[in-house]
Amino acid sequence: MIALLILMFTGIILLEVPGLVKKKMWRELAAFSVLLLIGMALIMPQAFGVVLPNPSEAVAALFRPLAELLE
Amino acid sequence: MLEQGKIDSNQAIMLLVSMVLSTAILTVPAFVIKFARQDAWLSIMTSILVGLLIAMLVVSLSLRFPGKTLFEYAEEILGKAPGKLIGLLYIWWFLHTNALIIDEFASFLCTAMMPNTPTIVFFIAVVAVAAYAVRNGLEVLSRYNQLFLPIVLGLLFIVLILTTKDMKAARLLPVFDIGLVPVLKGATVPASWLGEVVVLAMIIPFLNKPNEAYRVAALATLFTGLVLTACTLAVVAIFGPVTSGHFVFPVYNAVRVVSIANFLERLESVIVAVWVFGGFAKVGVFYYAAVLGSAQWLGLKSYQPLVAPVGVILVALALLCRNIAYLLDFTSRVWPPYSLSVYEAGIPLVMLIVALIRKKGGKAVG
């Protein structure tokens, strides 16, 4: 599982980064890196079995009153 | 321009139909039947009106800013900072909704067809294929959809006709037995699904004839709503309101009962085909909206570099919700009021009113 994820991330980086560096698209490269880091930060703990908070819970907490109105 | 491709009106209609129909057809009838029992079809008819209103709202807003997507005109209407905030909210909504769709996609395949395969396999498979389509642009996604939607709809139509043998019209009676309130409550779920037409705000700039956008939105909403009504009627007429309210995937169950001369059986795989083709188109459209939106939000020259990282985020978000019971509860009770009030009606309405007051954008064409 972990090896598969590392393989996947390496593949994504090899696919995108050389082209971006060649075309000198630094802004795009920065956005790519930040988003990929967010993705890694979200997926790696789950691969190790850590349970992360589900964002749906926050939405549910906010909208429960409105939802209960519709029961 | 980040996207050079142009799509025609028919492609846009088909894209919207498979975007809403493919997930709606699986779970929505059960949610509606729970509220409105045998009057579920009335609920869906009501929701078509809501869907049409949302479609008109989004189209009239988009047409004031030709060639611009929601992320660009939000800043023009509301100013830089509030516009950026709205953009961020929509990126979040596209990602979150897409994660729910991917989750539903995988849960269905896992629960109904392949219980021994880990769900992450389905997550990665659908996201990887969608990523390939999104990276190649809107035209590729639309052409894929144009190719498969007619086949899928044709199959669905044939299968629905074959189920008529098991239907009893008496199960739909009495009409309007439980009054207006449950019918209206039942309408919120399909209304929020049909309201996903708000994604059109990301597609209208790439229509080759933008003045046909009203027609596109109205036809897509009407068609989707009517197919959904037909499926719900079929389910209730086969099982009655009590049993069908307990199914998780009622249309799938309805097709399972088809058995003609002990020969034509196991037609539920057709529904799986509808789901896989349509679900992929749906994931693709939301994925595209999120990626294009993020690129415009950040002011990038190209959106392609963002496709892969956003895909990783999508898989991660889909992994966060692993329980199908929680997923169904969330998508039937919390997601509809949340999406309807904020993203589908609320924000577009506020933007249109502010645009009218501040006289932003040209007069709507068409």
Side-chain angles (χ1 to χ4, degrees):
Chain A
M1 178 75 184
I2 310 292
L4 203 73
L5 282 178
I6 291 170
L7 199 72
M8 192 175 85
F9 284 120
T10 321
I12 290 173
I13 291 169
L14 285 180
L15 202 74
E16 292 287 356
V17 173
L20 290 176
V21 172
K22 205 188 271 173
K23 282 186 230 147
K24 296 200 181 358
M25 295 168 89
W26 305 121
R27 208 181 153 84
E28 283 72 14
L29 186 64
F32 168 84
S33 317
V34 170
L35 284 173
L36 195 62
L37 281 175
I38 296 175
M40 279 182 182
L42 281 172
I43 216 164
M44 279 304 190
Q46 297 192 61
F48 286 106
V50 180
V51 180
L52 294 176
N54 186 349
S56 301
E57 309 261 5
V59 173
L62 274 172
F63 282 84
R64 229 7 125 174
L66 193 60
E68 271 159 16
L69 216 68
L70 294 166
E71 290 298 294
Chain B
M1 279 291 255
L2 289 170
E3 168 71 59
Q4 267 87 36
K6 287 277 175 194
I7 61 172
D8 66 30
S9 306
N10 287 335
Q11 286 175 320
I13 294 175
M14 288 180 172
L15 214 51
L16 289 175
V17 168
S18 46
M19 195 190 81
V20 179
L21 194 63
S22 46
T23 46
I25 209 169
L26 268 190
T27 50
V28 168
F31 299 151
V32 187
I33 293 165
K34 254 179 230 161
F35 279 109
R37 298 172 58 85
Q38 67 270 36
D39 289 339
W41 60 279
L42 282 170
S43 283
I44 298 181
M45 293 295 223
T46 318
S47 73
I48 296 177
L49 292 178
V50 181
L52 283 174
L53 283 176
I54 291 171
M56 294 304 112
L57 178 66
V58 175
V59 175
S60 49
L61 187 62
S62 289
L63 289 184
R64 293 178 72 86
F65 302 91
K68 288 191 173 164
T69 71
L70 186 111
F71 289 84
E72 293 164 305
Y73 59 69
E75 282 175 46
E76 203 172 308
I77 295 172
L78 301 167
K80 186 99 178 158
K84 286 279 184 204
L85 180 70
I86 297 286
L88 206 58
L89 279 173
Y90 270 98
I91 295 174
W92 159 249
W93 186 66
F94 289 141
L95 286 175
H96 183 215
T97 305
N98 209 355
L100 295 173
I101 298 164
I102 295 165
D103 223 15
E104 265 181 74
F105 180 92
S107 301
F108 170 66
L109 288 174
C110 211
T111 320
M113 300 294 287
M114 292 182 256
N116 292 325
T117 311
T119 39
I120 187 160
V121 174
F122 300 117
F123 291 162
I124 293 178
V126 69
V127 172
V129 182
Y132 179 76
V134 171
R135 212 174 183 289
N136 284 301
L138 188 61
E139 276 191 16
V140 170
L141 195 61
S142 323
R143 267 186 255 130
Y144 153 81
N145 191 53
Q146 195 178 20
L147 190 64
F148 283 104
L149 188 71
I151 304 174
V152 161
L153 283 176
L155 285 170
L156 186 68
F157 185 65
I158 294 170
V159 166
L160 278 180
I161 287 190
L162 291 177
T163 59
T164 48
K165 205 164 70 72
D166 299 289
M167 291 182 196
K168 280 205 178 68
R171 295 196 180 111
L172 295 164
L173 300 170
V175 177
F176 230 62
D177 187 31
I178 40 168
L180 187 63
V181 177
V183 171
L184 291 181
K185 282 181 176 175
T188 50
V189 177
S192 62
W193 251 263
L194 290 171
E196 283 173 355
V197 71
V198 81
V199 175
L200 201 55
M202 303 300 291
I203 296 174
I204 287 178
F206 313 118
L207 288 178
N208 62 2
K209 292 190 192 107
N211 55 345
E212 286 182 8
Y214 277 112
R215 199 174 68 92
V216 167
L219 280 178
T221 309
L222 270 177
F223 184 79
T224 313
L226 290 177
V227 175
L228 210 54
T229 313
C231 290
T232 310
L233 275 174
V235 169
V236 177
I238 292 169
F239 298 112
V242 180
T243 317
S244 37
H246 291 298
F247 287 138
V248 179
F249 307 117
V251 176
Y252 180 74
N253 290 77
V255 173
R256 277 187 99 129
V257 302
V258 173
S259 168
I260 290 163
N262 287 330
F263 173 69
L264 209 54
E265 287 182 331
R266 295 301 233 151
L267 291 173
E268 64 265 26
S269 44
V270 170
I271 296 293
V272 177
V274 172
W275 180 234
V276 172
F277 285 128
F280 164 69
K282 178 163 193 166
V283 169
V285 175
F286 270 84
Y287 195 167
Y288 177 78
V291 170
L292 183 67
S294 312
Q296 287 178 332
W297 196 79
L298 294 164
L300 305 183
K301 284 196 276 302
S302 143
Y303 68 85
Q304 273 83 357
L306 303 186
V307 172
V310 169
V312 174
I313 296 178
L314 280 176
V315 174
L317 281 177
L319 265 175
L320 279 173
C321 175
R322 253 181 268 207
N323 180 337
I324 186 173
Y326 180 82
L327 175 74
L328 290 174
D329 179 62
F330 185 81
T331 47
S332 69
R333 290 168 68 215
V334 181
W335 192 84
Y338 160 67
S339 299
L340 262 181
S341 64
V342 181
Y343 299 96
E344 293 170 359
I347 295 177
L349 192 63
V350 169
M351 284 209 287
L352 185 63
I353 292 169
V354 175
L356 287 171
I357 294 170
R358 295 181 67 182
K359 299 204 168 52
K360 293 279 181 184
K363 219 176 153 44
V365 281

